Amino acid sequence: MASIEVRELSKTYRVARKEPGLLGTLRHFFRRSYSDIQAVKGISFTIEPGEVVGFLGPNGAGKTTALKMLTGLIHPSSGTVRVAGYTPFDRSAAFLQQITLVMGQKQQLIWDLPALDSMRINAAVYRIDRSEFQARLEELSSMLGVADHLRQPVRKLSLGERMKVELMAALLHRPSILFLDEPTLGLDVNAQSAVREFLRQYNARYNATILLTSHYMADITALCRRVLVIHHGKLMYDGKLDHLVERFAPYREVTLELNQGVSEEVLSQYGEIESVEGCEVRLIVRRENLTPTVVRLLRDLDVQDLTVAEPPIEPIIGRLFEQGIES
Amino acid sequence: MKWIWERARTILSVNFATMVEYRVELLFWMLATSLPLIMMGLWILAVRRGEFSMDETEVARYFLAAFLVRQFSIVWVIYEFEWYVVQGRLSPFLLQPLDPVWRFLGAHLSEQVARAPFVALMVVLFIVMYPASLSVSIDQPDLWWLPSWRAVLGAIVAIYAAFLTRFALQYTMAMASFWIEKPTSLENFLYIPYVYLSGIIAPLDLYPDAVRQIAIWTPFPYVVWFPATVLVEQNTIPFAQGVAVLLGWTLLFVVLNRFFWRVGLRRYSAMGA
């Protein structure tokens, strides 16, 4: 059985419209006008147990709305969703025991108390007995490296420490399906990497299914082999991350270290110039021209070193969102 | 059954820890609900000046009892619920297999425990200021009066029945958060009949008959006046009848609450959670 099955899922919000100024306010008071916003438009996909899938899209694309429908917080306007075999909006106890939703910008821990107290509440809510609670606490705190922070008031923790204990609280009941909305938002590079490593371990240890949104492409490249790309509420791409790169960025970055400077006019014969800094040159070369171009570069120019790399994924995705995708 | 106890114990103890964090605020909250003590001073002055059906001792004792009833039946769930809905913080609770009402109820009960030492301090202060409140009567200032154990037990039952009624009423009004931005305005509106009809500003025995007859058709006299008169053993409403009325109101509000919770939740989830 698939962990997540989504068929033709749509969500339309009704939003009140108000003109600015006194007249607009009076009109709004006596006669409200509304408009419909289609946040998600007929998306379909299936995710198997143990898969880690990246959910990509610019702000307002419909990612969070879709995640909320998958967790049962939002009722879909049309379409069907099955998560772990349940209809999320029924919010049955058995379903809630199997999922978790972590939102990077929202917290569930009690602000003024040590995180341990929030964990105790969660243990009671999810019916985890005392010995099992202790065992899970030790396991998760050692995986996340936060054992020393559990007894400090949450408000005294750094952003990174807080996110780690948030994750701990959200995973205490050992859910098999994780919905993570920007779990590394605002964290420094080290904390981001620690959270990623933890998620990788959790997925491997419990064969957990993870659906992850993030604006940090490093999260996606480190964790997800498959991505879903959503734009203006529509699912534009569902497939391997590698294929996305091949399909939308069919070029390579060639970096040259030359023994003597060469004019840009000459360099432009080999590919698109990305940068020239002294004798270091970066060229963008189409994939199908790569081999003959490298041969010509080595033959024609005084090359000290030459490297070929895949282009960074961030600009690719950025360009993709800007231009839209023909699916 | 074991899990019910385990959940209750944990929710209460953690909420108690939260409330202890707000100990200074607790003192202010308690002082803010000291209206019965202020009213008592005014009424004692009135007793001294003219004809009155209660003597100074009875007035002092009634307002002390009313103060105690209020301290243990304070409800603020509408303010908290409104904040949770507006901030979108209700969502994490909806993803857990426990109805959020138990968390709110737990927070209230824990706050009462955290408040208790301050209440005891106020009672001592009150008795020092108005020693007459513990005399048998104004003519016998040296004879001490203490409520019987039956009165104390009865008052505890009545106070917690009153607390449940107020909680159920306010939590039902809090459901308006799903439709309007400021449901606390409903609470502010209801505060007026609550103040005038509950017995905070005067025992209902002193009200004109017509007003009293109207008042007893509302839940308000039962949430302060009735438990206070049970404690001072001056209740004109029979104990069983008073408790039954409170439970009846509670049941009505619970039924309404569950209806609006279901409809409201559907709306909340339709609008964007």
Side-chain angles (χ1 to χ4, degrees), chain A residues 286-305:
Chain A
R286 290 196 69 83
R287 195 152 41 96
E288 63 267 25
N289 299 336
L290 185 65
T291 310
T293 304
V294 169
V295 170
R296 280 173 56 215
L297 282 167
L298 292 170
R299 189 188 60 205
D300 301 347
L301 306 177
D302 188 3
V303 177
Q304 192 182 59
D305 193 17

Side-chain angles (χ1 to χ4, degrees), chain A residues 11 21 57 80 131 137 154 158 177 191 200 222 224 296 311:
Chain A
K11 178 68 195 177
T80 58
S131 59
L137 209 60
V154 171
S158 71
I177 303 175
R200 201 197 328 262
C224 311
R296 280 173 56 215

Side-chain angles (χ1 to χ4, degrees), chain A residues 11-14 68 71 73-75 89 91 93 96-97 99 101 106-110 112-113 117 120-130 155, chain B residues 2-3 6-7 9-11 13-15 17-18 21-22 87-89 91-98 100 103 261 265-266 268-273:
Chain A
K11 178 68 195 177
T12 304
Y13 293 115
R14 201 167 175 229
K68 286 180 173 175
T71 51
L73 282 175
I74 292 184
H75 200 270
F89 192 68
R91 294 181 45 242
L96 297 174
Q97 285 277 356
I99 64 144
L101 170 66
K106 286 191 180 153
Q107 57 153 35
Q108 62 154 308
L109 298 171
I110 302 169
D112 295 313
L113 294 184
D117 283 317
R120 285 177 54 220
I121 291 242
N122 279 11
V125 166
Y126 288 101
R127 301 184 177 195
I128 302 164
D129 67 37
R130 200 166 294 181
R155 64 170 187 271
Chain B
K2 182 192 160 216
W3 280 109
E6 187 62 29
R7 279 179 169 182
R9 198 181 60 81
T10 312
I11 287 172
S13 66
V14 173
N15 275 299
T18 312
E21 288 292 314
Y22 307 133
Q87 298 287 320
R89 294 186 63 129
S91 301
F93 288 173
L94 296 177
L95 291 179
Q96 295 191 335
L98 180 74
R103 284 177 180 263
W261 168 254
L265 210 54
R266 188 162 271 269
Y268 178 68
S269 65
M271 297 308 287

Side-chain angles (χ1 to χ4, degrees), chain A residues 2-185:
Chain A
S3 283
I4 301 169
E5 280 183 272
V6 175
R7 292 282 164 269
E8 293 299 321
L9 190 67
S10 297
K11 178 68 195 177
T12 304
Y13 293 115
R14 201 167 175 229
V15 181
R17 293 260 172 226
K18 178 188 164 298
E19 295 298 320
L22 182 64
L23 199 63
T25 305
L26 288 171
R27 270 202 204 113
H28 188 68
F29 184 80
F30 288 107
R31 217 178 91 182
R32 295 204 169 187
S33 61
Y34 296 90
S35 61
D36 288 340
I37 306 263
Q38 257 197 298
V40 175
K41 300 171 187 169
I43 61 173
S44 300
F45 58 87
T46 302
I47 298 177
E48 297 301 325
E51 267 196 283
V52 184
V53 179
F55 204 15
L56 303 179
N59 290 334
K63 302 185 299 285
T64 304
T65 303
L67 282 190
K68 286 180 173 175
M69 283 194 279
L70 296 180
T71 51
L73 282 175
I74 292 184
H75 200 270
S77 303
S78 64
T80 58
V81 191
R82 301 284 289 172
V83 176
Y86 297 92
T87 302
F89 192 68
D90 292 344
R91 294 181 45 242
S92 71
F95 165 70
L96 297 174
Q97 285 277 356
Q98 294 196 44
I99 64 144
T100 199
L101 170 66
V102 176
M103 302 179 97
Q105 73 280 31
K106 286 191 180 153
Q107 57 153 35
Q108 62 154 308
L109 298 171
I110 302 169
W111 187 246
D112 295 313
L113 294 184
L116 198 55
D117 283 317
S118 295
M119 311 274 176
R120 285 177 54 220
I121 291 242
N122 279 11
V125 166
Y126 288 101
R127 301 184 177 195
I128 302 164
D129 67 37
R130 200 166 294 181
S131 59
E132 183 61 26
F133 171 57
Q134 274 308 326
R136 290 188 192 184
L137 209 60
E138 279 165 28
E139 182 196 13
L140 290 170
S141 61
S142 76
M143 280 167 85
L144 281 160
V146 289
D148 297 339
H149 305 307
L150 297 179
R151 286 178 170 75
Q152 291 170 24
V154 171
R155 64 170 187 271
K156 298 279 184 196
L157 299 177
S158 71
L159 192 61
E161 289 159 358
R162 211 183 307 148
M163 192 60 227
K164 287 180 192 171
V165 288
E166 280 285 348
L167 265 174
M168 232 183 119
L171 299 179
L172 195 66
H173 61 290
R174 209 169 275 167
S176 58
I177 303 175
L178 281 56
F179 298 99
L180 309 174
D181 193 11
E182 305 283 356
T184 55
L185 192 71

Side-chain angles (χ1 to χ4, degrees), chain B residues 3 14 36 61 63 72 76 78 81 95 108 124 127 131 147 150 153 164 180 185-186 215 230 234 249 258 262 264:
Chain B
W3 280 109
V14 173
R61 205 178 288 159
F63 279 107
F72 293 102
W76 73 90
I78 195 165
F81 192 84
L95 291 179
H108 280 69
V124 170
I127 292 167
R150 278 172 64 100
L153 281 181
L164 283 180
I180 59 175
S185 54
L186 290 175
V230 169
Q234 297 284 324
W249 279 111
R258 292 295 87 183
R262 269 196 294 276

